[in-house]
Structure formats: structure tokens, C-alpha cells
């Protein structure tokens, strides 16, 4: 755990030191769970968004994108169920006065049991070596089975209590498990209460005429209310999808873990409209498609797992998370939800407008069912950043900090470095930048010794450094250094574009899907 904490602290301080993420309004001591993306962070974030958009919208003939407003008619949130049901169960500690999500306290308790299972597996792996069969071990070892049974029973009871709004039982569970305030150790808890997560605001100039509005807690509703507009104007045939990326806001009870849980964040969502009765197939299909998207980035298959929901959101008949191994353990990165006709059906009821599709094959109209894929852009950013940050021991007893970002997502693709600031080298380097900048985001750096410049570029994840030296003046060649291998090669200036393109081209990466 201490190791994990250390690693996570390193990620947060690296993000600040190298211009990825700053606390919001830091000169006023920041604002809890609100962050600003800095010069490198915004490039990385844009690249993740584009990687998603390309895969989800532009490579699918039957998916189109929109950009709906953050403000929506307040009745939309009544229809969506968010006014009545978008709650988290909160609990206060009477001694420390700290507030927690009751379900998260229980889940953290279960995570500790899961960590014990991992420990048993690691021990056995060491003992049996090559002959170790993990699957067989976890399905037969009595101690592991006991841990699993306990964890399952706790999660089942939590899901049932939340489903039935039995908050007294959630409190009873916390007391029976003797869960203590993680910061102070006190077990003196209040009752569990529901807390609505939507932020309210007002539209209008005078207090009397102002209309109560909400900041959207998910981007999905902007898609649902535009379903028919898009279907008609785009002549879309079912099955088809509508995607969008944009800000969402939630008044999270416990906003911790840096950009993992924020109060203002960004989602990338896609609603896929389908024939009722086909939702199971599409749900499975989208689970696999989305996992393949993640795997295409090469961040390690072992870092992902599915987690099927026991407690379903108010709109879903099936739901799973794609969890990622963050520095603080496996946590939700993306959700795939079978939302039935809940949203469109309710918008029909509340608006009085028909939101139906005429199916020419069936010769009838119906309210389509929906399978949704929903990923937090900031969470994806954290997954990429934390997975890429590495401390490497080098042969000469030194070490380097390197951000091994998937090259397609790297904020800067190449840095051009004149060996010295004289003899015409800066001019040649600038000419290279002027040429490459039309194709890639490139950097020019002439300050400090070239070794230090390499380290600076390693730390922001730049896949290539291009060094211009005195030989360049004679034969138009430069040294190109690869971030991950640190290998250096002499190449012609006119080959640079192709070499970089090969590694950073979205096509190459997405073709792995
Ligand atoms: N439209 C469905 C929906 O919003 P969700 O599971 O509540 O479902 C989807 O959210 C994704 O949005 C999550 O998997 C997560 O990546 C991201 N997300 C949710 N709340 C967040 C928060 N407070 N901060 C950062 N990301 C968040």
C-alpha cells in the first residue's frame, strides 16, 4: 500500500512539475476536486479525445457525433430520473466530522480482502514457479475461496440494501464489519443518508423570474433529447449511434484521488439505438469493442478487467465496468450500460412528444432500446499518465524518469535540438521544426547540454529527439533518438517525417483493434 501511495504521489507531482495538470485557482489555495490542464496536459487530453472520436465516430459508418449544450430544460432531468434517483449514500463520522460515501467504505473494505487474495496468489506463484496455474489455484485454494465467499457476500448484501433503499442495513453492515474512519480510526458513525449529486444554478436576471437549472451530470441526456432530430436529418437506420464528448458536473461527496473523481470532468459517451430484444447481443458486442480500443494502446492486458454491476443504476438492465489498475488498485475506467428504453420512454412521457423510430423491416414504430458506452476522459488521462510514468535504472549507475506514453497520444511528437547555439545549427534546426510542425506537434529546445534536454523530453513523453550537429551542415543528416530504447540513428532530414509518422499514426494504432 505504501508503495502504491508513493507511486501515486509521484504521478501527481510529475503532472504538476511537467505542465500536465495544475490544481484549479492555485493562487487562492485551489478548489477541492477541480483541476486545470496545463500546456502538455491539454495536448494529451486532446489526443485521447481524438483517438476515441476516430474509433467511435469516424470509423463507424452508423455512428455520428453531436455537441449538445451543458444547460438543458430542467424537466429533462426529472424525466431522466436524476432529480429523484441520482443519489449517493453518505455517512458522517461524529468524532472526526468527516463525510464519506457509505458504499465506498464497504467497497474499500472488500478491496482489502481482494488484496489478501492477490497476496496468496503471489506467494503461490513464487512457490510453484513455472508450473503455477493461477486459474486452478484461485478456484481450489481453501483460503482464497473463503476470502472470495466473504467478499461476495458483503458486496451482495450492499447491493441488495442499496437497491431496496435500506440505508439502515448499510449502516448495520458498516458497524458489523467494524469499518473505521480511514483517517482517524473512529467507529462513531451517523445514520446513512441519500445525497443528490447534481449542481443547481439559475437562468434569468431577476430572482422572481429565474428558472432553476442543473449543470448536466452526464452528457447522455443531450443525446437522448436529440435522438429524433439526428435520426431524421441524418436518415439514420437502426442500429445506429450518437456520440459526444463534453463536460459533466457532480457534487461528489468524497472527491479524492486527484483527477480520478472530480466535481467538473469530461465524458466521452455513445448511445447506440437498437431494436428491442437485441440488447443482450449489442451489450456484449460493445463490451468487447471497447476493451479492444483500450488494448490497442498497448498498456498491458493484465491492467484491465470487467466488473459486472450488482447494483444497477436506475436506468439499466445490465451494466459492466471496464476497470483499470490505477496506482491505488483496480477501479472503474469506463461503463457499458444496457439502458433499455428507459430514457427515450421517459422523455416521451415528460415532453409529450413521440420519440419513436419507424422500422421499415418490421413495418412498425417503436421506442428503441439503447446500449451506452461511457468513459471519463480525465480518468483515461490518469490511466495513461500513471501507467506510463517509469523510473529506469541505466547502465552507468544513473537513472532517468521517462513517460512511456503510447506515441500516438504523446503531447509532443518530436523535439528538435541544435547541439550548440551557434555555427548555423539553430537555423537548420528551426527549418526542420518549420517543416515538421505542419504534420506533428514539435518542440524546439536549445537550452542546456543535450543530455539534459533528452531527459526533459523523456519526462514529458516525447517519442523522438532530433539532434542537429556540425555533420548536418555537410550531409543533411541528423541523429534521431528513440525515447524508449534510447537508441540513436543517423538519418537524412527528408526521412524524418516518415519515421515519425510510422510511430504516431492513429491508423497504425487503431488497426490493432
Ligand atoms: N451516462 C452514464 C454515466 O454517466 P457513470 O458510470 O456515472 O455513467 C461514466 O459515468 C464514466 O464517467 C465513469 O466510468 C468515469 O470514467 C467517468 N466519471 C464519472 N464520475 C466521475 C467523476 N466524478 N470524475 C471523473 N470521472 C468521472
Amino acid at each position: 500500500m505504501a508503495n502504491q501511495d508513493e507511486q501515486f504521489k509521484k504521478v501527481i507531482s510529475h503532472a504538476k512539475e511537467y505542465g500536465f495538470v495544475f490544481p484549479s485557482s492555485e493562487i487562492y489555495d485551489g478548489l477541492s476536486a477541480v483541476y486545470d490542464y496545463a500546456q502538455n496536459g491539454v495536448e494529451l487530453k486532446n489526443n485521447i479525445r481524438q483517438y476515441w472520436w476516430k474509433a467511435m465516430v469516424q470509423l463507424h459508418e452508423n455512428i455520428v457525433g453531436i455537441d449538445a449544450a451543458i444547460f438543458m430544460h430542467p424537466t429533462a432531468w426529472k424525466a431522466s430520473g436524476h432529480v429523484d434517483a441520482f443519489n449517493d449514500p453518505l455517512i458522517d463520522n461524529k468524532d472526526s466530522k468527516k463525510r464519506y460515501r457509505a458504499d465506498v467504505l464497504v467497497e474499500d473494505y472488500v478491496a482489502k480482502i481482494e488484496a489478501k487474495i492477490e497476496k496468496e496468489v503471489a506467494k503461490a506463484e513464487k512457490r510453484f514457479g513455472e508450473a503455477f496455474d493461477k486459474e486452478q489455484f484461485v478456484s481450489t485454494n481453501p483460503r482464497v475461496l473463503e476470502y472470495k465467499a466473504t467478499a461476495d457476500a458483503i458486496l451482495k448484501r450492499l447491493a441488495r440494501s442499496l437497491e431496496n433503499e435500506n440505508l439502515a442495513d448499510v449502516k448495520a453492515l458498516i458497524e458489523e464489519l467494524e469499518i473505521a474512519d480511514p483517517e482517524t480510526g473512529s467507529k462513531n458513525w451517523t445514520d446513512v443518508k441519500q445525497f443528490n449529486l447534481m449542481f443547481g444554478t439559475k437562468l434569468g436576471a431577476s430572482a422572481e423570474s429565474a428558472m432553476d437549472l442543473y449543470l448536466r451530470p452526464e452528457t447522455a441526456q443531450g443525446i437522448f433529447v436529440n435522438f429524433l432530430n439526428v435520426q431524421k436529418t441524418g436518415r439514420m437506420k437502426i442500429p445506429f449511434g450518437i456520440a459526444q464528448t463534453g463536460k459533466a458536473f457532480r457534487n461528489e461527496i468524497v472527491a479524492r484521488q486527484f483527477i480520478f473523481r472530480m466535481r467538473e470532468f469530461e465524458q466521452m459517451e455513445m448511445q447506440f439505438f437498437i431494436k428491442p430484444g437485441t440488447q443482450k447481443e449489442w451489450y456484449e458486442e460493445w463490451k468487447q469493442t471497447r476493451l479492444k480500443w483500450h488494448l490497442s494502446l498497448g498498456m498491458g492486458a493484465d491492467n484491465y478487467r470487467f466488473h459486472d454491476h450488482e447494483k444497477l443504476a436506475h436506468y439499466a438492465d445490465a451494466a459492466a465496468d471496464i476497470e483499470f489498475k490505477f496506482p491505488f488498485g483496480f477501479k472503474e475506467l469506463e461503463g457499458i450500460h444496457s439502458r433499455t428504453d428507459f430514457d427515450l420512454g421517459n422523455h416521451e412521457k415528460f415532453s409529450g412528444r413521440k420519440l419513436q423510430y419507424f422500422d421499415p423491416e418490421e413495418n412498425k414504430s417503436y421506442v428503441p432500446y439503447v446500449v451506452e458506452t461511457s468513459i471519463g476522459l480525465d480518468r483515461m488521462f490518469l490511466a495513461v499518465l500513471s501507467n506510463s510514468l517509469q523510473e529506469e535504472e541505466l547502465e552507468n549507475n544513473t537513472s532517468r524518469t521517462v513517460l512511456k506514453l503510447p506515441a500516438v497520444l504523446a503531447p509532443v511528437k518530436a523535439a528538435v535540438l541544435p547541439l550548440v547555439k551557434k555555427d548555423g545549427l539553430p537555423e537548420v534546426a528551426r527549418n526542420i521544426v518549420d517543416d515538421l510542425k505542419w504534420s506533428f506537434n514539435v518542440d524546439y529546445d536549445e537550452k542546456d547540454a543535450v543530455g539534459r534536454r533528452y531527459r526533459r523530453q523523456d519526462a514529458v513523453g516525447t517519442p523522438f529527439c532530433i539532434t542537429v550537429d556540425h555533420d548536418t551542415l555537410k550531409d543533411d543528416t541528423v541523429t534521431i533518438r528513440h525515447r524508449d530504447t534510447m537508441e540513436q540513428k543517423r538519418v537524412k532530414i527528408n526521412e524524418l517525417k516518415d519515421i515519425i509518422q510510422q510511430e504516431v499514426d492513429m491508423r497504425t494504432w487503431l488497426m490493432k483493434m
Side-chain angles (χ1 to χ4, degrees):
M1 207 60 164
N3 238 345
Q4 288 186 342
D5 283 351
E6 280 308 303
Q7 176 60 15
F8 191 34
K9 277 189 195 141
K10 273 188 196 153
V11 171
I12 298 170
S13 65
H14 193 90
K16 179 157 181 227
E17 191 180 340
Y18 288 94
F20 283 90
V21 183
F22 299 147
S24 161
S25 357
E26 199 185 8
I27 57 167
Y28 296 101
D29 296 331
L31 183 64
S32 164
V34 186
Y35 291 91
D36 297 338
Y37 285 86
Q39 66 278 13
N40 287 316
V42 73
E43 295 288 345
L44 174 56
K45 197 175 175 204
N46 284 342
N47 292 344
I48 297 172
R49 196 189 293 104
Q50 274 170 24
Y51 196 70
W52 182 88
W53 192 264
K54 187 80 198 169
M56 294 296 283
V57 181
Q58 295 178 348
L59 293 180
H60 281 102
E61 225 176 87
N62 60 345
I63 300 181
V64 292
I66 63 166
D67 184 13
I70 288 172
F71 291 140
M72 295 181 68
H73 193 285
T75 311
W77 300 110
K78 193 81 192 140
S80 69
H82 284 82
V83 171
D84 297 317
F86 194 55
N87 302 316
D88 274 344
L90 71 83
I91 190 164
D92 292 298
N93 187 280
K94 289 184 198 163
D95 297 328
S96 70
K97 311 280 179 250
K98 300 245 175 235
R99 177 163 283 187
Y100 296 96
R101 262 179 65 174
D103 53 339
V104 171
L105 286 178
V106 177
E107 281 164 9
D108 285 350
Y109 180 91
V110 170
K112 283 187 192 142
I113 302 179
E114 284 169 348
K116 285 184 189 165
I117 298 178
E118 291 294 321
K119 228 175 172 173
E120 293 292 333
V121 171
K123 266 198 311 199
E125 205 163 12
K126 222 171 172 182
R127 196 165 357 116
F128 295 115
E130 296 249 305
F132 182 62
D133 180 341
K134 184 174 171 187
E135 235 166 73
Q136 195 196 353
F137 179 78
V138 294
S139 58
T140 54
N141 180 275
R143 195 170 297 164
V144 169
L145 290 177
E146 197 186 313
Y147 284 144
K148 272 171 96 180
T150 311
D152 284 353
I154 295 171
L155 287 179
K156 279 219 166 73
R157 177 164 161 199
L158 176 69
R160 208 173 40 241
S161 311
L162 292 173
E163 192 88 33
N164 302 332
E165 292 273 318
N166 186 353
L167 300 181
D169 192 56
V170 178
K171 183 180 181 191
L173 183 60
I174 288 174
E175 286 178 337
E176 280 167 39
L177 296 173
E178 300 192 8
I179 295 176
D181 181 328
E183 291 192 27
T184 64
S186 159
K187 293 177 192 157
N188 193 6
W189 297 110
T190 62
D191 288 341
V192 179
K193 283 178 279 188
Q194 290 290 22
F195 175 79
N196 192 287
L197 299 184
M198 283 198 294
F199 281 107
T201 184
K202 299 228 178 253
L203 179 103
S206 72
E208 306 82 61
S209 63
M211 186 184 201
D212 286 320
L213 291 189
Y214 297 103
L215 297 185
R216 67 180 178 197
E218 62 170 9
T219 60
Q221 297 305 324
I223 293 179
F224 290 123
V225 298
N226 279 299
F227 155 74
L228 214 51
N229 282 340
V230 174
Q231 190 272 318
K232 290 227 151 84
T233 54
R235 299 193 311 280
M236 308 299 289
K237 283 202 172 65
I238 270 178
F240 73 91
I242 306 177
Q244 77 165 328
T245 71
K247 290 274 180 146
F249 304 83
R250 296 183 190 177
N251 196 2
E252 297 283 359
I253 300 168
V254 193
R256 311 177 260 158
Q257 291 163 322
F258 190 38
I259 54 171
F260 180 81
R261 196 176 301 286
M262 302 158 90
R263 296 206 161 96
E264 174 182 340
F265 58 101
E266 194 162 338
Q267 289 185 315
M268 307 191 286
E269 299 201 299
M270 192 278 301
Q271 311 297 319
F272 200 67
F273 299 92
I274 55 176
K275 199 189 278 189
T278 62
Q279 66 269 30
K280 271 211 161 63
E281 291 150 50
W282 282 113
Y283 171 65
E284 289 306 327
E285 171 91 20
W286 277 111
K287 272 172 74 177
Q288 295 312 323
T289 305
R290 290 303 303 148
L291 183 63
K292 282 188 205 149
W293 180 85
H294 287 285
L295 295 179
S296 73
L297 286 168
M299 299 202 296
D302 285 353
N303 286 326
Y304 301 87
R305 70 180 188 192
F306 281 115
H307 166 75
D308 293 320
H309 283 207
E310 297 273 354
K311 177 189 185 268
L312 294 172
H314 58 275
Y315 49 73
D317 74 351
D321 296 334
I322 295 177
E323 292 188 338
F324 184 76
K325 199 170 183 185
F326 288 96
F328 37 85
F330 271 103
K331 293 275 174 206
E332 173 185 349
L333 171 58
E334 167 156 12
I336 292 99
H337 310 127
S338 172
R339 292 183 79 127
T340 67
D341 58 355
F342 176 89
D343 301 272
L344 287 181
N346 269 8
H347 284 304
E348 269 204 329
K349 256 187 249 154
F350 280 77
S351 68
R353 307 279 176 91
K354 265 203 169 353
L355 292 176
Q356 301 199 356
Y357 170 78
F358 177 75
D359 190 328
E361 282 166 22
E362 303 264 327
N363 199 26
K364 66 172 190 195
S365 296
Y366 52 77
V367 178
Y369 269 43
V370 171
V371 171
E372 162 187 75
T373 72
S374 173
I375 175 168
L377 176 48
D378 313 84
R379 242 176 234 193
M380 183 64 196
F381 184 108
L382 181 59
V384 171
L385 190 72
S386 58
N387 188 69
S388 305
L389 185 60
Q390 294 178 22
E391 204 60 46
E392 256 184 17
E393 297 300 325
L394 302 178
E395 278 170 7
N396 54 0
N397 267 347
T398 57
S399 65
R400 68 166 181 155
T401 301
V402 55
L403 203 54
K404 290 192 171 172
L405 296 170
V408 65
L409 302 181
V412 177
K413 305 301 188 207
V416 187
L417 323 170
L419 189 63
V420 289
K421 269 193 272 180
K422 55 183 185 180
D423 305 335
L425 302 190
E427 288 74 11
V428 178
R430 289 243 181 244
N431 282 342
I432 295 174
V433 168
D434 283 345
D435 181 37
L436 293 180
K437 73 184 179 190
W438 293 96
S439 309
F440 317 107
N441 192 26
V442 288
D443 207 1
Y444 172 83
D445 189 3
E446 61 176 23
K447 197 168 173 296
D448 299 323
V450 78
R452 289 187 67 176
R453 283 180 267 169
Y454 284 159
R455 291 289 174 277
R456 266 204 299 271
Q457 295 298 334
D458 285 346
V460 295
T462 307
F464 295 104
C465 283
I466 296 158
T467 307
V468 174
D469 57 23
H470 292 93
D471 286 343
T472 311
L473 304 178
K474 293 182 217 147
D475 59 9
D476 277 345
T477 63
V478 288
T479 302
I480 185 160
R481 172 189 180 269
H482 198 282
R483 175 196 68 196
D484 296 348
T485 59
M486 293 192 290
E487 192 185 59
Q488 301 192 11
K489 257 195 197 157
R490 204 73 199 171
V491 300
K492 287 269 182 207
I493 290 174
N494 62 13
E495 292 169 340
L496 286 171
K497 196 171 151 205
D498 283 348
I499 295 172
I500 300 167
Q501 184 70 27
Q502 246 175 25
E503 287 230 7
V504 306
D505 190 11
M506 228 187 254
R507 169 194 282 255
T508 322
W509 289 78
L510 282 171
M511 290 287 265
K512 291 184 216 148
M513 270 185 78

